Amino acid sequence: MADHFDERSGVVPCKTSWGSWAQTIDEIFIEDKKLLRIVLVKSGRDAANCWKSLLADQYLADPWVFNEMEKKLTLERFQKENPGFDFSGAEVTGNYSGGGPKFPSYS
């Protein structure tokens, strides 16, 4: 159930003059207004690795969009950690900055 979380819940796009970009825990999606679609695989694959900009100091997400991206990545993290639940329609409040709260592992 953790697979395709972004397809069920959507992504938070960061609009630019040439198109938009969005992210999941694993990937960055770049789309222009005409034809180009690029998928980049992240090397640091966790919810704490939320990109503030597509390139260093270029195409920055505005504060509201970045906040929504962090919420979405936190929900995606919860989905991966709890595959028996569906977090695609959930809302998150409170401590979601930096990937959300860190829970003890009992495994």
Side-chain angles (χ1 to χ4, degrees):
M1 186 173 269
D3 293 338
H4 311 294
F5 176 79
D6 56 311
E7 291 175 9
R8 291 193 315 277
S9 67
V11 293
V12 178
C14 180
K15 301 206 182 297
T16 66
S17 59
W18 47 260
S20 65
W21 65 276
Q23 63 184 309
T24 66
I25 286 178
D26 298 321
E27 299 166 322
I28 299 289
F29 301 94
I30 305 167
E31 208 168 300
D32 77 355
K33 293 179 179 176
K34 296 181 181 181
L35 176 67
L36 185 65
R37 289 189 179 128
I38 299 172
V39 177
L40 304 174
V41 178
K42 287 182 174 179
S43 60
R45 296 182 186 178
D46 59 37
N49 187 22
C50 187
W51 290 19
K52 290 184 179 191
S53 63
L54 184 57
L55 301 171
D57 299 323
Q58 294 183 30
Y59 311 114
L60 281 112
D62 67 54
W64 183 86
V65 170
F66 182 71
N67 188 49
E68 294 301 308
M69 286 178 167
E70 282 196 307
K71 286 181 185 180
K72 188 64 75 172
L73 293 186
T74 299
L75 286 172
E76 186 178 354
R77 179 193 130 202
F78 292 159
Q79 183 68 61
K80 287 183 176 217
E81 291 174 354
N82 303 282
F85 294 96
D86 182 3
F87 291 92
S88 62
E91 291 286 326
V92 63
T93 60
N95 181 16
Y96 54 83
S97 179
K102 307 299 181 242
F103 300 113
S105 176
Y106 298 108
S107 50

